[in-house]
Amino acid sequence: MVHPPPKTPSKRVRCRSDAKTPLTPSNKKSSQPVGVIRKGGVESRLDVVTCDYVPPPPKHELKRSKSTPGRDRFITNRDTTDIAAVAASLEQMSLNTQSSPNHTARLAVATGVPVNRRILGYHEQPPAASSSDNTLAQQREYAKPLYAQRPGALPSSTGAITSKARKIPTQPERVLDAPGMVDDFYLNLLSWSCQNAVAVALEASTYIWKADTGSVVLLGEAPEGAYVSSVDFSNDGAFLGVGLGMGDVELWDVESGQKLRTMAGHVGQVATLSWHQHILSSGCADGSIWHHDVRISRHKVMELLGHSGEICGLKWRSDGELLASGGNDNVVNIWDGRVGDVNESTRGSAKWTKRNHTAAVKAVAWCPWQPSLLASGGGTNDATLNVWNSTTGARLHTHRTPSQITSIQWATQRKEILTTHGYPTNSLMIHAYPSMERVAEIRDAHDSRVLFSCVGPGGDVVCTGGGDENLKFWRVWDSKSGEGSTGKKKKASAANTEEVGGGRLNSTREGILSIR
């Protein structure tokens, strides 16, 4: 039996009109060309595709991570969840210590939590803070300077160096214990003489620490019931003025350790003293300033009245022509220092009076290399460093600091200013002049506020006293003359770098000002 030849598969009609379809035995019978629609034929009743079919792009299925389960998470509905039932079931749960008893026991011991006790659980919401209790708000207000963004703030409390060529140690060279140092912002209990001796007042006692030898000498005691409120060396270092809380001013011979005289007359505590040659000026709590001529019996030669609050800052200019004073009335006064032939009733008037500070002004200092410049610093509510021109009375520079300014020291070999600060930073800051940029800062220099400071005769070491009853010696500047605060040539030995003034490390007496 002969089978007919298989039919050739039909081909898809091309969309191009000029395409030629080859003749095959199967389509020779048709006289019509392929792709032509006959009128009235079957093709006219069909939908003709004029273009090739283009399949859509494949859909990309979202692939799950192997760590992600293939099922949805179950999230509880807090509105319908029985919190009490869940809490009860959680309380019945306990840790299975059988699987890893040693590890579980170590965790329990390290955290101090019993094994069968839950760390996290359901509890009632804590009560809201009372609106009538503003203690927390006050504490936050006091702590705000700690977290405020300060311009040029340093990143750490260990101090920082902004210049690679400048090395400033962040640790003191020596620390002396000073038990009994009064933590009072208005007092001035520290002084360093040109003979390299440091005077410090501890309650009713006055001590002399000699940097050359490291020895400690008890100079004198205040009368019974009184306390020492200020000390200051004379320009030649031979005498020490001591102000008392009851208003007297004592004069002591440093070499012999004898009290030469007591100059009475003030009605309040004498919180600050300043020398110029034979004139010892004292500032009183009643706002008056007295000039005492220590050579004559009638010691009071002039009285300056220009403050309504306690005098807490007083400094003579090196040439003796001007005297600067700061008081608890937020005022800075610059006085004509010429005394001349005057009597007890003579009154002086201020050459300039500045009321820009908004807090007590204790820190005042004259520039050693440009005598017309005076720097002053305000207390807690002000914390501003101002530089004045004593010739014209103009304020040349002003700089805001993060905390109260307790003292100011000008560098003798550099154009820089050092300031000591109280709460909340308890720091030492060095500012460049005249840009007032912060060169370095030593945060938390004392455990309490830094109250007093003085510079050694070499101009390289600064001694600070704080409310933590410590004296600390910082070498913040280098002496270009090659001599330190001892007046002796510096040595390159490592042992000498641990000493201040070349003193012996174990030369103390009775534990007062003991070295640690």
Side-chain angles (χ1 to χ4, degrees):
M1 181 178 181
V2 180
H3 298 280
K7 296 182 180 180
T8 305
S10 60
K11 295 184 179 181
R12 185 173 53 184
V13 179
R14 299 176 184 268
C15 62
R16 294 179 57 182
S17 61
D18 59 346
K20 303 294 184 178
T21 305
L23 296 176
T24 61
S26 60
N27 59 16
K28 283 182 179 181
K29 298 178 180 179
S30 177
S31 61
Q32 296 295 334
V34 178
V36 179
I37 301 174
R38 294 177 299 173
K39 183 176 181 182
V42 179
E43 295 87 356
S44 62
R45 296 191 296 270
L46 298 177
D47 294 332
V48 179
V49 178
T50 60
C51 295
D52 291 343
Y53 171 77
V54 180
K59 297 182 179 180
H60 297 281
E61 296 183 357
L62 182 62
K63 295 183 179 181
R64 292 181 178 271
S65 175
K66 294 182 179 180
S67 60
T68 304
R71 59 184 181 275
D72 294 334
R73 294 177 298 167
F74 173 73
I75 303 176
T76 60
N77 188 354
R78 297 182 179 179
D79 297 335
T80 61
T81 302
D82 189 355
I83 302 300
V86 175
S89 62
L90 292 177
E91 290 295 335
Q92 297 176 0
M93 297 176 62
S94 61
L95 295 177
N96 183 10
T97 60
Q98 300 300 327
S99 60
S100 179
N102 295 334
H103 179 67
T104 304
R106 288 195 299 269
L107 288 178
V109 173
T111 57
V113 178
V115 175
N116 294 327
R117 180 180 176 183
R118 291 192 56 80
I119 299 177
L120 300 178
Y122 290 91
H123 298 283
E124 296 182 0
Q125 186 178 2
S130 176
S131 59
S132 60
D133 186 8
N134 57 355
T135 305
L136 181 59
Q138 293 179 356
Q139 293 176 353
R140 288 177 177 174
E141 187 68 22
Y142 293 149
K144 186 180 296 183
L146 291 174
Y147 305 98
Q149 183 67 28
R150 296 177 292 119
L154 299 174
S156 65
S157 62
T158 59
I161 297 95
T162 57
S163 174
K164 293 182 179 180
R166 183 73 179 278
K167 299 295 182 181
I168 299 177
T170 59
Q171 297 297 326
E173 288 193 349
R174 171 170 290 179
V175 180
L176 303 181
D177 288 327
M181 178 174 284
V182 181
D183 186 359
D184 192 331
F185 172 82
Y186 299 97
L187 306 186
N188 293 269
L189 306 179
L190 200 61
S191 181
W192 201 333
S193 74
C194 62
Q195 297 185 7
N196 209 16
V198 178
V200 56
L202 306 179
E203 295 180 343
S205 306
T206 305
Y207 292 90
I208 302 294
W209 181 77
K210 297 182 179 180
D212 294 337
T213 61
S215 61
V216 179
V217 178
L218 174 62
L219 185 65
E221 295 278 351
E224 184 177 358
Y227 61 92
V228 179
S229 54
S230 59
V231 294
D232 192 52
F233 276 107
S234 60
N235 302 125
D236 57 3
F239 304 98
L240 180 69
V242 178
L244 303 180
M246 62 182 183
D248 292 345
V249 178
E250 297 179 345
L251 181 64
W252 289 80
D253 188 308
V254 177
E255 184 66 25
S256 63
Q258 296 181 353
K259 183 170 68 173
L260 301 180
R261 64 183 303 181
T262 299
M263 296 171 286
H266 282 299
V267 296
Q269 81 170 1
V270 179
T272 180
L273 297 171
S274 184
W275 280 88
H276 174 63
Q277 296 182 354
H278 54 274
I279 299 297
L280 175 59
S281 300
S282 59
C284 183
D286 62 0
S288 64
I289 301 172
W290 287 14
H291 291 331
H292 307 269
D293 191 336
V294 299
R295 303 171 300 176
I296 58 179
S297 58
R298 300 178 65 88
H299 54 87
K300 180 182 176 183
V301 294
M302 179 171 284
E303 182 177 5
L304 307 179
L305 299 177
H307 289 275
S308 59
E310 179 177 7
I311 308 297
C312 50
L314 196 64
K315 189 67 64 176
W316 277 96
R317 200 167 76 174
S318 58
D319 57 5
E321 293 185 2
L322 296 176
L323 174 70
S325 63
N328 197 24
D329 54 357
N330 314 339
V331 173
V332 177
N333 280 329
I334 301 177
W335 309 83
D336 192 330
R338 293 171 294 183
V339 177
D341 297 331
V342 295
N343 52 39
E344 186 178 357
S345 60
T346 302
R347 298 290 186 271
S349 59
K351 180 180 180 181
W352 304 107
T353 298
K354 300 300 176 182
R355 306 181 185 274
N356 301 80
H357 288 286
T358 58
V361 182
K362 175 189 177 183
V364 289
W366 292 96
C367 179
W369 33 267
Q370 191 170 346
S372 61
L373 299 181
L374 172 69
S376 62
T380 304
N381 294 331
D382 181 74
T384 302
L385 173 63
N386 291 326
V387 179
W388 312 91
N389 187 330
S390 61
T391 303
T392 63
R395 182 171 62 171
L396 303 179
H397 305 281
T398 181
H399 178 68
R400 177 78 177 179
T401 67
S403 55
Q404 64 177 170
I405 302 176
T406 56
S407 66
I408 298 174
Q409 303 293 342
W410 289 82
T412 58
Q413 304 293 341
R414 293 176 178 266
K415 290 187 176 182
E416 293 178 349
I417 306 174
L418 180 139
T419 56
T420 63
H421 299 264
Y423 302 125
T425 61
N426 304 332
S427 63
L428 275 67
M429 295 184 186
I430 300 178
H431 312 269
Y433 185 85
S435 66
M436 306 305 290
E437 294 180 355
R438 190 173 307 175
V439 176
E441 177 183 7
I442 304 176
R443 297 289 297 271
D444 299 320
H446 284 260
D447 294 337
S448 183
R449 55 181 175 175
V450 186
L451 293 170
F452 325 108
S453 71
C454 55
V455 181
D460 53 347
V461 179
V462 176
C463 177
T464 59
D468 56 354
E469 299 183 343
N470 286 328
L471 295 182
K472 296 186 178 182
F473 295 83
W474 312 83
R475 190 174 297 277
V476 296
W477 293 301
D478 294 329
S479 178
K480 293 184 179 181
S481 62
E483 299 183 359
S485 296
T486 61
K488 299 179 181 180
K489 293 290 183 180
K490 293 182 180 179
K491 297 181 180 180
S493 63
N496 197 37
T497 59
E498 298 179 358
E499 298 182 357
V500 175
R504 296 188 297 271
L505 292 178
N506 57 355
S507 177
T508 58
R509 187 175 299 180
E510 296 181 356
I512 302 298
L513 296 184
S514 58
I515 301 172
R516 59 177 182 83

